[in-house]
Amino acid sequence: MSIRPEVDPGPGRATGPAPVSLAQRKRQLVATELTEAALQLLALKGFDAVTVDEIATTAGVSKRTFFRYFASKEDVVVQFLADMGADMRAGLAARPSGERPSEALLHAVSVPLTICDDHAERALPVVRLILRTPALLARFLEHQARWREDLTEELAARLGRDPRADLYPRLAAGMALAAFDAVLHRWSEGEDAGSSTDPSALIAEAFAVLTPALDSAAS
């Protein structure tokens, strides 16, 4: 779940991550271990049943160390959601400039879904946790509103349109995220992580419905 593939930067963009120091790498490693421990414990036992002490013990760090990285166990999930949004915006920014809006948006929202698909045994319980815990679902919806703004801005820049005067970028971003949301809900209702209704197949199915409207309105 914490393994996030690098997005193809596309033609003319810088490649490779910026150099990081040893201290930064160590900090990222600890953050990753805490995230993994927290998400799996929360998914296994339920949000209310897990304590910060238990998360810290599982990750092999002190409670004090946990609070250096996260203000609460809810913040671990919030960061997970923030990463999903960052992946989508980066995915859209990396697409070729002449690509149809439907194809660019499909690739963008597919980035986090592909990660879920590749790590289904760990990802599915976390998705279910978020969608079935009222406090976390509220944060998820909160983040979706931010993602819509980010994708709107990115899409408007790609198309040379003003999102304040043109409804298309916001409507298109909203449609893409509605498909993303529907896919996660459908996937979470499957019997197991090996279900045939995997996220990658579901998002392709959803965009088959959306593509005519997205592309005809963009022209």
Side-chain angles (χ1 to χ4, degrees):
M1 282 292 289
S2 61
I3 301 172
R4 299 167 60 199
E6 292 182 18
V7 178
D8 181 359
R13 295 177 183 264
T15 58
V20 295
S21 68
L22 180 60
Q24 287 174 313
R25 288 198 297 271
K26 182 178 179 181
R27 183 175 176 81
Q28 183 57 53
L29 180 61
V30 174
T32 298
E33 290 174 349
L34 279 170
T35 300
E36 289 282 358
L39 290 177
Q40 296 312 309
L41 279 172
L42 293 169
L44 179 66
K45 302 179 68 173
F47 184 75
D48 294 329
V50 176
T51 65
V52 169
D53 282 321
E54 191 174 2
I55 294 170
T57 299
T58 301
V61 301
S62 68
K63 184 177 179 180
R64 184 176 179 180
T65 297
F66 175 91
F67 284 119
R68 288 197 194 115
Y69 291 83
F70 301 104
S72 67
K73 60 184 180 181
E74 182 179 305
D75 278 357
V76 179
V77 182
V78 169
Q79 184 58 53
F80 169 75
L81 294 174
D83 288 345
M84 294 178 84
D87 286 341
M88 283 190 276
R89 181 163 192 166
L92 182 56
R95 301 308 302 171
S97 59
E99 193 170 53
R100 290 180 293 118
S102 63
E103 191 169 352
L105 286 167
L106 171 58
H107 281 285
V109 298
S110 292
V111 175
L113 291 175
T114 298
I115 298 173
C116 286
D117 206 357
D118 290 345
H119 305 278
E121 290 187 0
R122 288 182 289 165
L124 182 56
V126 175
V127 170
R128 285 174 172 159
L129 170 76
I130 293 169
L131 297 181
R132 298 174 185 181
T133 305
L136 298 180
L137 178 58
R139 299 304 295 270
F140 177 57
L141 296 175
E142 206 176 278
H143 273 273
Q144 281 199 53
R146 296 177 194 172
W147 301 344
R148 185 173 59 249
E149 295 303 316
D150 288 345
L151 292 182
T152 296
E153 290 176 8
E154 193 65 48
L155 186 61
R158 288 172 58 84
L159 298 175
R161 297 189 179 190
D162 182 355
R164 295 168 298 180
D166 190 335
L167 287 175
Y168 177 79
R170 187 175 301 277
L171 286 171
M175 291 168 68
L177 288 173
F180 176 83
D181 183 77
V183 165
L184 285 185
H185 277 82
R186 174 71 180 279
W187 187 49
S188 74
E189 294 163 0
E191 293 183 3
D192 53 53
S195 171
S196 59
T197 54
D198 61 85
S200 297
L202 288 171
I203 197 64
E205 181 183 335
F207 266 78
V209 176
L210 299 181
T211 291
L214 285 170
D215 291 341
S216 63
S219 58

